[in-house]
Amino acid sequence: MSKWLEESIEPGFRASYKLDKILASTTSEFQHVDLVDIEPFGRSLVIDGLLQSCRCDEFVYHECLVHPAMLMHPNPKTVYIGGGGEGSTAREVLRHKSVEKCVMVDIDKDVVQFCKDHLDENAEAFADKRLDLVISCAKAYLEQNDTKFDVIIMDLDDPLEGGPCYQLYSTEFYTFLKSKLNPGGIIVTQSGQSGIKQHTLVFTPIHNTLKSVFPNTVPYNQAIYSFLDEWGWNVALPEGAKPPAKFSPEEVDKLIEERISGELKFMDGCSWQGIWALSKVHRKSLAAETVVMSVNNKNHRFMCNPGIATIAEENAKRQKTA
Amino acid sequence: MSKWLEESIEPGFRASYKLDKILASTTSEFQHVDLVDIEPFGRSLVIDGLLQSCRCDEFVYHECLVHPAMLMHPNPKTVYIGGGGEGSTAREVLRHKSVEKCVMVDIDKDVVQFCKDHLDENAEAFADKRLDLVISCAKAYLEQNDTKFDVIIMDLDDPLEGGPCYQLYSTEFYTFLKSKLNPGGIIVTQSGQSGIKQHTLVFTPIHNTLKSVFPNTVPYNQAIYSFLDEWGWNVALPEGAKPPAKFSPEEVDKLIEERISGELKFMDGCSWQGIWALSKVHRKSLAAETVVMSVNNKNHRFMCNPGIATIAEENAKRQKTA
Amino acid sequence: MSKWLEESIEPGFRASYKLDKILASTTSEFQHVDLVDIEPFGRSLVIDGLLQSCRCDEFVYHECLVHPAMLMHPNPKTVYIGGGGEGSTAREVLRHKSVEKCVMVDIDKDVVQFCKDHLDENAEAFADKRLDLVISCAKAYLEQNDTKFDVIIMDLDDPLEGGPCYQLYSTEFYTFLKSKLNPGGIIVTQSGQSGIKQHTLVFTPIHNTLKSVFPNTVPYNQAIYSFLDEWGWNVALPEGAKPPAKFSPEEVDKLIEERISGELKFMDGCSWQGIWALSKVHRKSLAAETVVMSVNNKNHRFMCNPGIATIAEENAKRQKTA
Amino acid sequence: MSKWLEESIEPGFRASYKLDKILASTTSEFQHVDLVDIEPFGRSLVIDGLLQSCRCDEFVYHECLVHPAMLMHPNPKTVYIGGGGEGSTAREVLRHKSVEKCVMVDIDKDVVQFCKDHLDENAEAFADKRLDLVISCAKAYLEQNDTKFDVIIMDLDDPLEGGPCYQLYSTEFYTFLKSKLNPGGIIVTQSGQSGIKQHTLVFTPIHNTLKSVFPNTVPYNQAIYSFLDEWGWNVALPEGAKPPAKFSPEEVDKLIEERISGELKFMDGCSWQGIWALSKVHRKSLAAETVVMSVNNKNHRFMCNPGIATIAEENAKRQKTA
């Protein structure tokens, strides 16, 4: 008798991981969370049926999400994180010595508390005085506060059909975000699976949508073993900014040495060269992409978000009837 | 009732692919081969329990194996392929207009025949007059023939414990191969899984072993979706050759345009930049690797090859008792 | 890499059988059929996603279906089999020396041909001159012919939602069947899973429905390993007939010896005692069952049959769009 | 992402149960125990990789194990249970009004405590003053105490290769047990899988071994859904005792009514008829069985027990190195 975690990667493709132990579990208003030990990837966080991050390689994802945007900004003092409840994104942001304030806004207080309680690797970040941790909707917070930011990092679930995050990937939201950036500010967003088969699901649409508001949007990607695919991000740079691929390995290594505390595990000048070098297949798909995600267009391959409030209501209903 | 192909990726990690159809199967003296349709990856060749290549992305593997070595050689006329029975490696080699002769030596005549019969995408290559297809041991052929080559491509199974290919990854074999290269010749070998967790299994040992004979050996890698990981190769360049990462995108694109017939799907000047940019993690492991695989050292983490003859004998025995 | 057949036994319960070989496959107008070798059960027939019969224990099912009804009839000369395309039911019927004519009516000519071609164990039965094999709807044949029978054996798929066989388990059909029985005639029908958890799905409703027309209906069951559960049947006896459980082992053994050619593998006087001894749990459920399946009542837990013609049409449509 | 419990039923046959929740787990000196909720069978106890008992049908196993021996004894006052740590066997024993003392000896104090803590259905039994719960080796206790018993119930793991229970199924142990029976005493032992394919693994050898000491040993079996097979037991009756199959349903029902408190769920006069009616296949195998398990014969298909002490030592070692 053995225990297994089974993940449906795509139709007709299942991955099964031997489940050594369920260390802790909780069900919040929005999601179900498990902290588990699985044989191939070690300690792992599973949120609502998604292998969210595994100790064996979560640093690849988080270093790729955070450091390019941070290093390309000349002096990032204020940073906004939308989502990121796990704490690892904040951890990487707070390594930057220039950072004076990092506002992290996650909607799920139970998940945040769960991660605070159980993820030792992020304990220091959660305790950092520069971190302003807010439980709220990532959009509502920005609407209700006047603060502007040097770097905005969107670390949310994919904009999938009916999912709660769809509107936070829309052209309308990106237009709004523009007003929340300090001059010279940079936005980066996680952008889903980006391997040779799946990169048109959300990676190219997110790219095209962000680009509709920020013409100097640059896509990048990196293989992540525990995600069983490459993963993608898109960074919106100020117009006229130096293209990321033009940073030499030496320049990047120098920036890291000057501006980041401690040692990065994944990112350095050479790793940097790799993430911007998208393949011919990817570049063709990016060039061909026409979808601009909007809260108004309900006819394309994503369903529009019924609103976060609605999701919470539905969850509440489900819990009552369960 | 559904049919599934199940692959054990590593201990405690299984991948299962919905099996739509088994189109053809054969058992040779050495291996069992199936041509199958699986839901996530389409038409796929399964050789002895390994998902050998899937129509959805086999071109990524084969373009990465073949074109860097071929393009970095100034004028490759004669090419040797060790293994490669499937025919896709030869297909990519024969796209190079400079090639006058391509000798492909595979030990398994039944598998080669099976691929000739069933893989339409390689029919043209198998029919190409420049191809000299030989059924033999990859090493024995070279020993018995005086020919030297401009480019040698080793496309063999991983050097795993007790596997038939171990000695073809040894420092002794690489020393022998050196005598089979024309001046300025280049050797490339597939080098197994190369993702953040598995790259020290065979990728770094192969690198270190090839480098023990060819000091200018350069490792590279690329994510391959259907292999569920990044994949690695090592190319041994002449001393003093220009480092691959120094070829600009424009240079590579120009070489491809001038020297290759038809259009590549994966490789171009920009894809090229990505494959050489190994991450900090990989470079640390490569630097720390001390294993040099030898037919004499039986105490490291690979078992020495009992010889291809032995394998065939064992298979014969197994078939008798089955 | 291994191949597996996976069966969904009930929600949250999957059985997986190692698939050694697919020996033959065909897709008929109605169904998809595979003849496979699976490691635990050997040679097996899979019809439309159901493990139909396995060489290791198909005789248990077929001996239980056929012999009780046949042995309790004083002198069965004419037998009707509804369904049974595999041929094993006919094989068991034709062992009875008294049988002069066995009409077997199966709707699927391709499946029948497939079984004729591939199931050696039934070759003799298919060649028996007493067998009248008809390709037709089991009901239509009876409507179009005047023949009456001594024993009627219904060997059909379960009456599941939307399935083609629903109406052949209805009170209307059983009333019609009554008119097709010679005096003293007996009807038996397979009646689905009958274990402690699943016996109320179809076993007790079929019992209650058959009993609505034939008051002397007796349920019985037997564990069948390859079905992963007990299996059930219901036999409708003439009023006043001796209860099956009152046959002593010796009586049954004598009947078998006198009336059956060759040796049975499963059934004998002692096995007979076991099949009628339903547990307290089963008898409670049978007593509590109120459903009478009717072609008119669409509100109970089975969906009415849209008609065999409709099914065939739908299959045809599916094939066109595939 | 879903969680599954996977059980290897036999080579090439896996059953997977959707794992809703792990309610509690513990690792004792001897075994690992989980209390889980699985979708098909509900609350279930998993001991060392064996689905030990499921709330949906554990009563079938335990009523079959306990009541036949108890009801065939004219007046069972003292009962010995070897193993049975879960408490369900004691629960069924203590329903018998005649019982004055039930000694239950299980080696694993942690598992017993775990069951006391978590299995509500056995709370009353654990609290019953007639129960004498002893933590010890089932054999050692009997050696160290002079008490004799009316009924001895062996509820142990199968006598599998290297398992801790092998010697408790040996002819030597049964000879010893004989000396622990009061005149007219009865012994019953669980006897493993007993379906058409697996019944010769341990069921027929246990029968033959018990019979080597007690000539009037009667085998019986019953399908148990959550065990995915029939299950077997063997009861050793005094010489000349009335054969179980000769008890009429009415007699059994009367005995149950007179002697048992509360209502049984599975066993009654009619269920009783079924369990003794072994099929022709089973009876042939029983007649052909020649194995007599002995602590001395190490050459048959079971490996001799290295001794419970050894097992515990090995577990301790494993824990240290883990």
Side-chain angles (χ1 to χ4, degrees):
Chain A
M1 185 81 69
S2 51
K3 305 183 195 90
W4 294 82
L5 262 191
E6 182 180 296
E7 196 173 20
S8 178
I9 305 299
E10 55 162 312
F13 177 10
R14 290 184 201 147
S16 304
Y17 314 113
K18 196 146 181 298
L19 176 61
D20 290 333
K21 199 161 188 182
I22 301 178
L23 294 118
S25 299
T26 196
T27 301
S28 76
E29 188 185 358
F30 305 100
Q31 305 169 99
H32 181 77
V33 191
D34 288 306
L35 186 69
V36 298
D37 280 341
I38 55 180
E39 187 169 340
F41 307 145
R43 181 110 351 144
S44 302
L45 189 69
V46 181
I47 301 192
D48 246 15
L50 282 171
L51 200 52
Q52 196 76 13
S53 78
C54 301
R55 196 173 275 177
C56 75
D57 63 4
E58 60 88 1
F59 63 90
V60 181
Y61 172 86
H62 290 105
E63 294 192 13
C64 286
L65 171 65
V66 169
H67 299 311
M70 294 294 286
L71 292 174
M72 286 191 285
H73 190 283
N75 188 24
K77 293 186 177 171
T78 53
V79 178
Y80 178 83
I81 301 170
E86 169 188 345
S88 305
T89 300
R91 180 193 69 209
E92 295 303 320
V93 166
L94 293 165
R95 286 168 178 277
H96 287 257
K97 300 175 209 161
S98 63
V99 171
E100 293 170 0
K101 187 175 178 184
C102 174
V103 178
M104 166 180 157
V105 180
D106 197 288
I107 200 163
D108 195 328
K109 76 169 188 303
D110 297 322
V111 166
V112 169
Q113 190 59 48
F114 184 91
C115 295
K116 273 176 136 172
D117 291 346
H118 294 105
L119 302 184
D120 300 343
E121 59 271 39
N122 297 338
E124 204 178 327
F126 277 120
D128 194 305
K129 289 187 175 161
R130 296 172 295 164
L131 180 69
D132 186 6
L133 175 45
V134 181
I135 302 302
S136 173
C137 163
K139 188 180 165 208
Y141 175 88
L142 291 170
E143 288 169 341
Q144 292 153 13
N145 286 274
D146 289 337
T147 340
K148 297 190 173 194
F149 297 91
D150 296 328
V151 174
I152 292 178
I153 299 172
M154 301 305 292
D155 186 15
L156 302 162
D157 286 350
D158 281 357
L160 289 178
E161 287 195 38
C165 295
Y166 180 82
Q167 65 170 329
L168 301 177
Y169 288 89
S170 65
T171 188
E172 291 84 356
F173 181 67
Y174 291 143
T175 302
F176 166 67
L177 267 195
K178 202 171 185 176
S179 70
K180 293 296 169 177
L181 276 185
N182 286 324
I186 294 176
I187 294 173
V188 66
T189 180
Q190 87 81 16
S191 304
Q193 273 186 280
S194 69
I196 205 148
K197 182 168 176 196
Q198 308 282 35
H199 66 283
T200 54
L201 288 181
V202 303
F203 176 65
T204 60
I206 293 173
H207 175 75
N208 209 46
T209 305
L210 190 57
K211 199 174 169 182
S212 70
V213 179
F214 300 93
N216 194 8
T217 289
V218 186
Y220 60 106
N221 81 342
Q222 171 58 35
I224 299 193
Y225 183 55
S226 69
F227 289 177
L228 307 190
D229 201 359
E230 297 168 86
W231 212 256
W233 302 266
N234 279 285
V235 62
L237 296 168
E239 303 226 21
K242 176 174 171 179
K246 296 287 182 199
F247 284 72
S248 73
E250 297 70 28
E251 264 178 288
V252 173
D253 284 334
K254 189 155 168 270
L255 281 171
I256 289 175
E257 200 189 334
E258 288 170 2
R259 291 170 47 177
I260 292 181
S261 310
E263 205 198 330
L264 299 185
K265 284 196 246 180
F266 173 79
M267 185 61 73
D268 67 1
C270 189
S271 300
W272 179 281
Q273 306 309 310
I275 63 176
W276 310 101
L278 294 183
S279 85
K280 187 172 176 178
V281 176
H282 288 85
R283 288 177 357 262
K284 263 192 164 174
S285 302
L286 285 161
E289 181 60 77
T290 57
V291 166
V292 172
M293 292 187 280
S294 159
V295 295
N296 299 316
N297 56 345
K298 312 210 174 198
N299 290 330
H300 59 63
R301 62 189 184 278
F302 311 99
M303 246 186 60
C304 277
N305 174 23
I308 293 227
T310 317
I311 297 289
E313 276 166 29
E314 276 175 16
N315 273 347
K317 265 187 242 158
R318 261 185 265 154
Q319 284 165 6
K320 270 178 214 152
T321 58
Chain B
M1 186 81 70
S2 50
K3 305 184 194 90
W4 294 81
L5 263 192
E6 182 180 295
E7 195 172 24
S8 178
I9 306 298
E10 55 162 311
F13 177 9
R14 289 185 202 149
S16 305
Y17 314 113
K18 197 145 180 299
L19 176 61
D20 290 331
K21 197 159 188 184
I22 301 179
L23 294 117
S25 299
T26 196
T27 301
S28 76
E29 188 185 359
F30 304 101
Q31 306 169 98
H32 182 78
V33 192
D34 288 306
L35 185 70
V36 298
D37 280 341
I38 55 180
E39 185 168 343
F41 306 146
R43 181 111 350 144
S44 301
L45 188 71
V46 181
I47 300 192
D48 247 15
L50 282 171
L51 200 52
Q52 197 77 12
S53 78
C54 301
R55 196 173 275 177
C56 75
D57 63 4
E58 60 88 2
F59 63 89
V60 182
Y61 171 85
H62 290 105
E63 294 192 13
C64 286
L65 170 65
V66 170
H67 299 310
M70 294 294 287
L71 293 174
M72 286 191 285
H73 190 284
N75 187 22
K77 293 185 178 172
T78 53
V79 178
Y80 178 84
I81 301 171
E86 170 187 346
S88 306
T89 300
R91 181 193 67 210
E92 295 303 320
V93 166
L94 293 165
R95 287 169 176 275
H96 287 258
K97 300 174 209 163
S98 63
V99 172
E100 294 169 359
K101 188 177 178 184
C102 173
V103 178
M104 166 180 156
V105 179
D106 197 289
I107 199 162
D108 196 329
K109 75 169 187 303
D110 297 324
V111 166
V112 170
Q113 191 58 48
F114 184 91
C115 294
K116 272 175 138 174
D117 292 346
H118 293 105
L119 302 183
D120 300 343
E121 59 271 39
N122 297 339
E124 203 179 329
F126 278 120
D128 194 305
K129 290 185 176 161
R130 297 171 294 164
L131 181 68
D132 185 5
L133 175 46
V134 181
I135 302 302
S136 173
C137 162
K139 189 180 165 209
Y141 175 89
L142 291 169
E143 287 169 343
Q144 292 153 12
N145 287 274
D146 288 337
T147 340
K148 297 194 174 192
F149 296 90
D150 295 327
V151 173
I152 293 178
I153 300 172
M154 300 305 292
D155 186 17
L156 303 161
D157 285 351
D158 280 358
L160 289 178
E161 287 196 39
C165 296
Y166 179 83
Q167 63 171 329
L168 302 177
Y169 289 89
S170 66
T171 185
E172 291 83 356
F173 180 69
Y174 291 142
T175 302
F176 166 67
L177 269 194
K178 204 171 184 174
S179 70
K180 293 295 169 179
L181 275 185
N182 285 325
I186 294 175
I187 294 173
V188 65
T189 180
Q190 86 82 16
S191 304
Q193 272 187 281
S194 69
I196 207 147
K197 182 168 177 199
Q198 307 283 36
H199 66 284
T200 55
L201 288 181
V202 302
F203 175 67
T204 62
I206 293 173
H207 174 77
N208 210 46
T209 305
L210 190 58
K211 199 174 168 181
S212 71
V213 179
F214 301 93
N216 193 8
T217 290
V218 186
Y220 59 106
N221 81 342
Q222 171 58 36
I224 300 194
Y225 183 55
S226 68
F227 289 177
L228 307 189
D229 202 358
E230 297 168 86
W231 212 257
W233 302 267
N234 280 284
V235 63
L237 296 167
E239 302 228 21
K242 177 174 170 182
K246 295 289 182 199
F247 284 71
S248 72
E250 295 72 27
E251 263 177 289
V252 174
D253 284 333
K254 190 154 167 272
L255 282 171
I256 290 174
E257 202 189 333
E258 287 170 1
R259 293 167 48 175
I260 293 181
S261 309
E263 207 198 328
L264 300 184
K265 286 199 244 178
F266 174 78
M267 185 61 73
D268 67 2
C270 188
S271 300
W272 178 282
Q273 307 308 312
I275 63 175
W276 309 102
L278 293 184
S279 85
K280 186 173 178 179
V281 176
H282 289 85
R283 291 179 355 262
K284 264 192 163 174
S285 303
L286 286 161
E289 182 59 75
T290 58
V291 167
V292 172
M293 292 187 280
S294 160
V295 295
N296 300 315
N297 57 347
K298 314 208 173 198
N299 290 328
H300 60 62
R301 63 189 182 279
F302 311 98
M303 245 185 61
C304 277
N305 175 22
I308 292 224
T310 318
I311 297 289
E313 278 166 29
E314 276 175 15
N315 273 349
K317 265 186 242 157
R318 259 185 266 153
Q319 283 165 9
K320 271 179 212 151
T321 58
Chain C
M1 186 82 67
S2 50
K3 305 184 195 91
W4 294 81
L5 264 192
E6 182 180 296
E7 196 173 23
S8 179
I9 306 300
E10 56 162 311
F13 178 10
R14 289 185 202 148
S16 305
Y17 314 112
K18 197 147 180 298
L19 177 61
D20 290 332
K21 200 161 186 182
I22 300 178
L23 294 117
S25 298
T26 197
T27 301
S28 76
E29 189 185 357
F30 304 101
Q31 305 169 99
H32 181 78
V33 191
D34 288 306
L35 185 70
V36 298
D37 279 342
I38 56 179
E39 186 168 343
F41 306 145
R43 181 112 347 146
S44 301
L45 188 70
V46 180
I47 300 192
D48 246 13
L50 281 172
L51 200 52
Q52 197 76 11
S53 79
C54 301
R55 196 172 275 176
C56 75
D57 62 4
E58 59 88 359
F59 64 90
V60 182
Y61 171 86
H62 291 105
E63 294 192 14
C64 285
L65 170 65
V66 170
H67 300 309
M70 294 294 287
L71 292 173
M72 286 190 286
H73 190 284
N75 187 24
K77 294 185 178 172
T78 53
V79 178
Y80 178 83
I81 301 172
E86 169 188 346
S88 306
T89 301
R91 180 193 66 209
E92 296 303 319
V93 166
L94 294 164
R95 287 169 177 276
H96 287 258
K97 302 174 209 162
S98 63
V99 172
E100 294 169 359
K101 188 176 178 183
C102 173
V103 177
M104 166 180 155
V105 180
D106 197 289
I107 200 164
D108 196 329
K109 76 168 187 304
D110 298 322
V111 166
V112 169
Q113 190 58 47
F114 184 91
C115 295
K116 273 175 136 173
D117 291 346
H118 293 104
L119 302 183
D120 300 343
E121 60 271 37
N122 297 339
E124 204 179 327
F126 277 120
D128 194 305
K129 289 185 177 163
R130 297 171 294 163
L131 180 68
D132 185 7
L133 174 47
V134 181
I135 303 301
S136 173
C137 162
K139 189 181 164 209
Y141 175 88
L142 291 170
E143 287 168 343
Q144 292 153 13
N145 287 274
D146 287 338
T147 340
K148 297 193 174 194
F149 297 91
D150 295 328
V151 173
I152 292 178
I153 299 173
M154 300 305 292
D155 186 16
L156 302 162
D157 285 350
D158 281 358
L160 289 178
E161 287 194 38
C165 296
Y166 180 81
Q167 65 171 328
L168 302 177
Y169 290 89
S170 65
T171 187
E172 291 84 356
F173 181 68
Y174 290 142
T175 302
F176 166 67
L177 269 195
K178 204 171 184 175
S179 71
K180 293 294 170 179
L181 277 185
N182 286 324
I186 294 176
I187 293 173
V188 65
T189 180
Q190 85 82 17
S191 305
Q193 272 187 280
S194 69
I196 206 147
K197 182 168 176 198
Q198 307 282 36
H199 65 285
T200 55
L201 288 181
V202 302
F203 175 67
T204 61
I206 293 173
H207 175 77
N208 210 46
T209 305
L210 191 56
K211 199 174 169 182
S212 69
V213 179
F214 300 93
N216 193 7
T217 289
V218 186
Y220 59 106
N221 81 343
Q222 171 58 35
I224 300 195
Y225 183 54
S226 69
F227 289 176
L228 307 189
D229 201 359
E230 297 167 86
W231 212 256
W233 302 266
N234 279 285
V235 63
L237 297 167
E239 303 228 21
K242 177 173 169 181
K246 295 289 180 200
F247 286 71
S248 74
E250 296 71 27
E251 263 177 289
V252 173
D253 284 333
K254 191 155 164 270
L255 281 171
I256 289 175
E257 203 190 331
E258 288 170 1
R259 293 170 43 176
I260 293 182
S261 311
E263 205 197 331
L264 299 184
K265 285 198 245 179
F266 174 78
M267 185 61 72
D268 68 0
C270 188
S271 300
W272 177 283
Q273 307 307 310
I275 62 175
W276 309 103
L278 294 183
S279 85
K280 186 173 178 179
V281 176
H282 289 85
R283 293 184 347 268
K284 264 193 163 174
S285 303
L286 286 161
E289 182 59 75
T290 59
V291 167
V292 172
M293 292 187 281
S294 160
V295 295
N296 299 315
N297 58 346
K298 313 209 173 201
N299 290 328
H300 60 63
R301 63 187 181 280
F302 311 99
M303 244 187 62
C304 277
N305 176 20
I308 293 225
T310 317
I311 298 288
E313 278 166 29
E314 276 175 13
N315 273 348
K317 265 186 242 158
R318 261 185 263 153
Q319 285 164 8
K320 272 179 214 151
T321 58
Chain D
M1 186 82 69
S2 51
K3 304 184 195 91
W4 294 81
L5 262 191
E6 181 180 296
E7 197 173 20
S8 178
I9 305 300
E10 55 162 313
F13 177 10
R14 291 184 200 147
S16 304
Y17 314 113
K18 196 145 182 296
L19 177 61
D20 290 332
K21 200 162 187 184
I22 300 178
L23 294 117
S25 299
T26 196
T27 301
S28 77
E29 189 185 357
F30 305 101
Q31 304 168 101
H32 181 77
V33 191
D34 288 305
L35 186 69
V36 298
D37 280 341
I38 55 180
E39 187 169 341
F41 307 145
R43 182 115 343 151
S44 301
L45 189 69
V46 180
I47 300 192
D48 247 12
L50 283 172
L51 200 53
Q52 197 76 13
S53 78
C54 301
R55 196 171 277 176
C56 74
D57 61 5
E58 60 88 0
F59 63 91
V60 181
Y61 172 86
H62 290 105
E63 293 192 13
C64 286
L65 171 65
V66 169
H67 300 310
M70 294 293 287
L71 292 174
M72 286 190 286
H73 190 284
N75 187 22
K77 293 185 177 171
T78 54
V79 178
Y80 177 83
I81 301 171
E86 169 187 347
S88 306
T89 301
R91 179 194 69 210
E92 296 304 319
V93 166
L94 294 164
R95 286 168 178 276
H96 287 257
K97 301 175 209 161
S98 63
V99 171
E100 292 170 0
K101 187 177 178 182
C102 173
V103 178
M104 165 180 157
V105 180
D106 196 289
I107 200 163
D108 196 330
K109 74 169 189 303
D110 298 322
V111 166
V112 170
Q113 190 58 47
F114 184 90
C115 295
K116 274 175 135 172
D117 291 346
H118 293 105
L119 302 183
D120 300 344
E121 59 271 39
N122 296 339
E124 202 179 327
F126 278 120
D128 195 303
K129 288 186 176 163
R130 298 170 294 164
L131 180 69
D132 186 6
L133 174 47
V134 182
I135 302 302
S136 173
C137 161
K139 189 180 165 210
Y141 175 88
L142 291 169
E143 287 169 341
Q144 291 153 14
N145 286 274
D146 289 336
T147 340
K148 295 190 175 195
F149 297 90
D150 296 328
V151 174
I152 292 179
I153 299 172
M154 301 305 291
D155 186 15
L156 302 162
D157 286 350
D158 281 357
L160 289 178
E161 286 195 39
C165 295
Y166 179 81
Q167 65 172 327
L168 302 177
Y169 289 89
S170 66
T171 186
E172 291 84 356
F173 181 67
Y174 291 142
T175 303
F176 165 67
L177 269 195
K178 203 171 185 173
S179 70
K180 293 295 169 179
L181 277 185
N182 285 325
I186 294 177
I187 294 173
V188 66
T189 180
Q190 87 81 17
S191 305
Q193 272 186 280
S194 70
I196 206 147
K197 180 166 178 198
Q198 308 281 34
H199 65 283
T200 55
L201 288 181
V202 303
F203 176 67
T204 61
I206 294 174
H207 174 77
N208 210 46
T209 305
L210 190 58
K211 200 174 168 181
S212 71
V213 179
F214 300 93
N216 193 8
T217 289
V218 186
Y220 59 107
N221 81 344
Q222 170 58 35
I224 300 195
Y225 182 56
S226 69
F227 289 177
L228 307 189
D229 202 358
E230 296 168 87
W231 213 256
W233 302 266
N234 279 285
V235 63
L237 297 167
E239 303 225 21
K242 175 175 173 180
K246 296 288 182 201
F247 285 71
S248 73
E250 297 70 28
E251 263 177 288
V252 173
D253 285 333
K254 188 153 168 271
L255 281 170
I256 289 175
E257 201 190 333
E258 288 169 4
R259 292 168 46 174
I260 293 182
S261 311
E263 205 197 331
L264 299 184
K265 284 197 245 180
F266 173 80
M267 186 61 73
D268 67 1
C270 188
S271 301
W272 179 282
Q273 307 308 309
I275 63 176
W276 310 102
L278 293 183
S279 85
K280 186 173 178 179
V281 176
H282 289 86
R283 290 181 352 265
K284 264 193 163 172
S285 303
L286 286 161
E289 182 59 76
T290 58
V291 167
V292 172
M293 292 187 281
S294 159
V295 295
N296 299 317
N297 56 348
K298 313 210 174 199
N299 289 329
H300 60 62
R301 62 189 183 278
F302 311 99
M303 245 187 62
C304 278
N305 175 22
I308 293 224
T310 317
I311 297 288
E313 277 165 28
E314 276 175 15
N315 274 346
K317 265 187 241 157
R318 261 185 265 153
Q319 284 164 9
K320 270 178 211 148
T321 58

